[in-house]
Amino acid sequence: MNQQSQIAPGVAVGDRVVLFDGVCRLCSVWARFLIKFDRKRQFKLATVQSPEGKAILQWHSFPTDHYETMLLVEGVNIYTKSSAFFRVMQRLPWPWPIMCIGWAVPSIIRDWLYDRVALNRYRLFGRYEACVIPNKDHNSRFLGE
């Protein structure tokens, strides 16, 4: 079996895809942050509400009707919560990799903190009525565009 057949639909072998909640204001800020600081264009983005995002969620057996974590898909590997966050940060230019000092905190504590924010993100930061459409110059950053 070739490696491509083990990868979610729409994802290529070398792709790194960040899935995020497109109606969450905090998550949209995160996506804009990545667009700004990922100058090497190492990451593609997809909202969980998009057809591409839903296909990836289904492929990896995540629910498509509610969403509680950012996902990072790297080929056949998938990372969630704080692990996804730190894997993204370590690939960004200086000074962002310094955030990876958080790896020193045990994952059970990191993920508990992550969950507190994720579960309250709409109450704390608000939400959009629909997914925010990327600017025309950002289209190439999104999976399927």
Side-chain angles (χ1 to χ4, degrees):
M1 185 181 317
N2 70 24
Q3 191 176 12
Q4 186 61 48
S5 66
Q6 299 173 19
I7 297 176
V11 179
V13 173
D15 283 350
R16 291 183 187 97
V17 181
V18 176
L19 272 73
F20 68 99
D21 183 348
V23 298
C24 167
R25 288 183 186 267
L26 175 63
C27 304
S28 293
V29 167
W30 169 244
R32 288 192 301 274
F33 172 88
L34 287 178
I35 289 169
K36 181 176 180 176
F37 291 106
D38 179 23
R39 295 181 196 110
K40 293 181 182 178
R41 295 180 175 245
Q42 300 174 82
F43 299 100
K44 293 183 179 181
L45 301 168
T47 66
V48 294
Q49 293 87 357
S50 70
E52 296 83 5
K54 286 182 180 183
I56 292 169
L57 290 172
Q58 288 174 334
W59 180 266
H60 290 287
S61 301
F62 282 90
T64 58
D65 57 345
H66 69 279
Y67 190 67
E68 297 174 0
T69 181
M70 169 185 68
L71 296 175
L72 171 62
V73 179
E74 292 182 344
V76 297
N77 299 311
I78 189 159
Y79 304 93
T80 62
K81 301 184 182 188
S82 65
S83 295
F85 174 77
F86 289 127
R87 287 188 71 84
V88 169
M89 295 307 280
Q90 75 184 13
R91 293 194 174 276
L92 295 178
W94 181 259
W96 303 113
I98 203 161
M99 297 286 292
C100 292
I101 196 165
W103 280 116
V105 176
S107 64
I108 193 164
I109 296 170
R110 291 191 326 254
D111 288 343
W112 183 85
L113 291 170
Y114 185 99
D115 286 341
R116 299 296 62 79
V117 174
L119 294 171
N120 294 292
R121 68 189 184 277
Y122 296 142
R123 188 171 51 80
L124 294 171
F125 302 100
R127 66 180 288 154
Y128 298 110
E129 292 301 314
C131 289
V132 177
I133 306 297
N135 296 338
K136 292 287 184 203
D137 58 331
H138 296 162
N139 282 346
S140 66
R141 304 302 295 271
F142 284 79
L143 196 62
E145 296 296 327

